[in-house]
Amino acid sequence: SVKKICVGGSYIDLTGVPPQPLILKNNLSRTVYRDNSRRRPVAEGSSRYTGIYLDKSAGKWKAQIMVDGSVRSIGYYEREEDAAEDYARAAFKYKPTKGGCETYGGLDLGGVPEQPLIRSRTSASGYKGVKAMKGRWQARITTTKGTAPTTLGTFDNVEEAAEIYARAAYYLDQLREEHTVRITGGGGGDISTWVAI
């Protein structure tokens, strides 16, 4: 059976890229990758792997990666592990690790450009998605409606926490936008059931 199911869009070319260790969201000890967030259990029904999402409307696991500020599709898969395998190969090709870790709360922000900080009058920190945490600043973002926020990381500087939140918000907006384009011509769907971390 075919494990990769391409349904339109611009797909990553993995020709010639060797197999790589699978990249877990919160336990990356098998690889050179690390996660900047505090360790958290993966939400029920979500993938254990970075860059992998369950597209409920298609009933498939989707692998995708941020490259040069844009979300690029890798493919749709029957098996979660097959999707994670190709994501790891794409990360090897497009995201060399020598520049440091760019994973926050399971979100791969390596290709996400710097974003304007999002001010908030209601937050004590002055920034949306940032709160004080034992003398430091914690960035958190909601990835799926009705679920608890995902912790992106805890930082010494409030502006650094706000910067990571702004980049994560941009990344999730890009995911929803890409999915909206795909489902618009295919009978519709509910984005809130698709973006799941």
Side-chain angles (χ1 to χ4, degrees), residues 127-139:
Y127 297 97
K128 186 174 181 180
V130 179
K131 70 174 186 177
M133 177 64 69
K134 298 181 180 180
R136 303 179 73 202
W137 301 96
Q138 186 177 85

Side-chain angles (χ1 to χ4, degrees), residues 30-138:
R30 289 180 54 204
T31 75
V32 295
Y33 296 86
R34 300 183 308 279
D35 194 303
N36 290 283
S37 69
R38 297 169 62 191
R39 300 304 185 201
R40 291 290 185 274
V42 177
E44 185 177 354
S46 299
S47 175
R48 299 172 294 157
Y49 302 102
T50 297
I52 309 305
Y53 308 87
L54 179 60
D55 187 332
K56 293 185 177 180
S57 64
K60 310 293 181 185
W61 293 99
K62 180 176 184 180
Q64 57 193 22
I65 191 169
M66 180 76 78
V67 178
D68 296 329
S70 299
V71 175
R72 299 281 300 280
S73 295
I74 299 171
Y76 288 80
Y77 305 78
E78 298 283 354
R79 296 180 64 248
E80 178 185 8
E81 290 75 13
D82 290 336
E85 178 184 318
D86 277 357
Y87 176 87
R89 293 170 64 212
F92 175 81
K93 178 176 181 178
Y94 292 98
K95 296 179 179 297
T97 59
K98 62 183 180 180
C101 176
E102 286 291 336
T103 302
Y104 297 85
L107 301 179
D108 185 352
L109 304 183
V112 180
E114 186 176 338
Q115 299 296 312
L117 305 188
I118 305 172
R119 296 278 184 176
S120 171
R121 294 182 179 179
T122 59
S123 172
S125 70
Y127 297 97
K128 186 174 181 180
V130 179
K131 70 174 186 177
M133 177 64 69
K134 298 181 180 180
R136 303 179 73 202
W137 301 96
Q138 186 177 85

Side-chain angles (χ1 to χ4, degrees), residues 149-166:
T150 294
T151 299
L152 299 172
T154 305
F155 307 88
D156 294 326
N157 186 287
V158 66
E159 285 81 12
E160 184 181 2
E163 178 186 346
I164 295 304
Y165 175 87

